[in-house]
Amino acid sequence: MSVDPGRYAAPVRRSGGEAEQQPVIVRCARRALAPDPLRVLLLHGLCSNGGVWDPFLPLADPRCELWTADLPWRGTGVHGWTGLPVETWADQAVAAVPGGPDVVIAHSFGTSAALTWLDRWSTGGADARGPSAVVLVSPLYRATAEEFDWNSLAYYVNNFDRILIEGMHMGPSRRLPEERRHTIAMKIRDLVSPYGWFQFFGTYLRMPQMRTERMTMPFLLVSGGEDMVAAPSDAEALAKSLPDASVHVLPRHGHFPMVTAVEEFADLTNTFLRTRLPGPPSGSPHLTMEHNR
């Protein structure tokens, strides 16, 4: 979960000057600086947008072609986005990358969207191919239903405004007085509405159902040691459930390690990709789910 009201206050514009209202908008943020690129799709968290990845873009490995998605839970949300499961929107982002992504990198609520998409993808036929590697930043995951109790629900309800305020420290709004940030956070909370919050928490509740044993590609999980949204224990539990995963907890960092520790995050990600995907992409077809658009 993340928020940057300084980024979403002004609508993104088309060349004709009309505000874009499509639920999913995917753009190439950086072309690769090497032949045979790795196509990388970046997914953001709740109340954020693709701009949250801006600090990472210039530091990514030169062979990475970077695609950012503005998903329907950006800002205060595109009207009606909660009517469909999050994996539907993730699939639309995947389908918008020409040839499909070789790597998916996701943050916070975006990790939930990625995992639920991967869960549905894993039921595909023998010829289906998903991403070759996945990087999840501040993932939200619990292995069993028993780990969710009433205290879990109360924590995320009662601290929603604090979570939003933390996200505001990552963008231009960090320069505002604390009282002003709190006022804005409360307005954002009300605009997101219980529907947006329930979609976030409802997706979190689905994590024990994920068939992670089918997700055989290598995973890199990065967590902040002081994350108040997605505890490092979530990343560690997810790593145990995956066939091939490594975890890196960055001490003294919170929910946005790809911003607050961007050089360390970039080094971890680049090393992971160079080690686990040393050659050029195979060029074999990528899978996208069929659904009504």
Side-chain angles (χ1 to χ4, degrees):
M1 186 182 298
S2 51
V3 60
D4 185 348
R7 290 194 180 281
Y8 70 72
V12 179
R13 298 290 177 179
R14 297 178 184 170
S15 58
E18 297 180 1
E20 294 187 27
Q21 295 299 322
Q22 299 97 325
V24 177
I25 304 167
V26 176
R27 299 181 179 85
C28 184
R30 195 197 75 177
R31 295 292 180 185
L33 303 179
D36 299 316
L38 283 173
R39 294 179 295 272
V40 179
L41 175 63
L42 298 133
L43 306 177
H44 62 77
L46 185 65
C47 300
S48 186
N49 63 28
V52 75
W53 299 105
D54 284 355
F56 169 66
L57 299 182
L59 302 179
D61 189 284
R63 70 176 175 141
C64 291
E65 180 179 274
L66 303 173
W67 294 79
T68 57
D70 282 336
L71 297 158
W73 48 84
R74 61 187 180 268
T76 54
V78 175
H79 179 71
W81 77 269
T82 59
L84 292 173
V86 296
E87 58 266 31
T88 302
W89 304 120
D91 185 59
Q92 288 194 17
V94 168
V97 177
D102 298 291
V103 181
V104 171
I105 301 179
H107 175 243
S108 190
F109 184 54
T111 71
S112 303
L115 286 170
T116 52
W117 177 80
L118 285 167
D119 184 55
R120 285 178 57 176
W121 162 79
S122 67
T123 62
D127 295 332
R129 178 174 179 262
S132 299
V134 177
V135 179
L136 301 182
V137 188
S138 306
L140 293 145
Y141 179 83
R142 298 189 191 186
T144 66
E146 289 72 25
E147 294 175 58
F148 290 101
D149 55 19
W150 291 109
N151 289 332
S152 301
L153 186 150
Y155 176 84
Y156 284 99
V157 170
N158 295 334
N159 288 286
F160 193 27
D161 54 339
R162 289 181 58 205
I163 292 168
L164 294 173
I165 291 170
E166 181 184 355
M168 293 170 67
H169 285 280
M170 299 302 109
S173 297
R174 67 183 181 276
R175 293 185 289 269
L176 295 175
E178 190 67 33
E179 182 178 352
R180 177 61 175 159
R181 283 198 295 266
H182 182 268
T183 299
I184 294 173
M186 297 300 286
K187 289 181 179 179
I188 294 170
R189 184 198 65 178
D190 292 343
L191 289 169
V192 170
S193 83
Y195 284 93
W197 184 91
F198 270 107
Q199 189 74 319
F200 151 72
F201 197 73
T203 306
Y204 193 10
L205 287 171
R206 291 166 58 193
M207 289 299 105
Q209 303 168 24
M210 297 299 102
R211 292 162 290 189
T212 49
E213 71 279 0
R214 301 187 183 202
M215 303 175 192
T216 56
M217 68 284 291
F219 278 74
L220 170 65
L221 311 179
V222 180
S223 178
E226 298 181 2
D227 193 338
M228 64 172 289
V229 182
S233 57
D234 281 34
E236 292 162 356
L238 178 57
K240 290 179 182 178
S241 75
L242 291 163
D244 185 356
S246 59
V247 183
H248 291 269
V249 178
L250 302 179
R252 300 181 301 281
H253 290 279
H255 192 54
F256 297 83
M258 73 289 194
V259 176
T260 60
V262 62
E263 292 185 358
E264 190 170 358
F265 170 74
D267 183 61
L268 287 170
T269 301
N270 292 339
T271 300
F272 169 70
L273 296 180
R274 291 167 187 161
T275 303
R276 304 310 305 270
L277 302 178
S282 65
S284 56
H286 290 65
L287 174 79
T288 59
M289 298 183 298
E290 293 184 2
H291 53 75
N292 295 324
R293 297 181 185 275

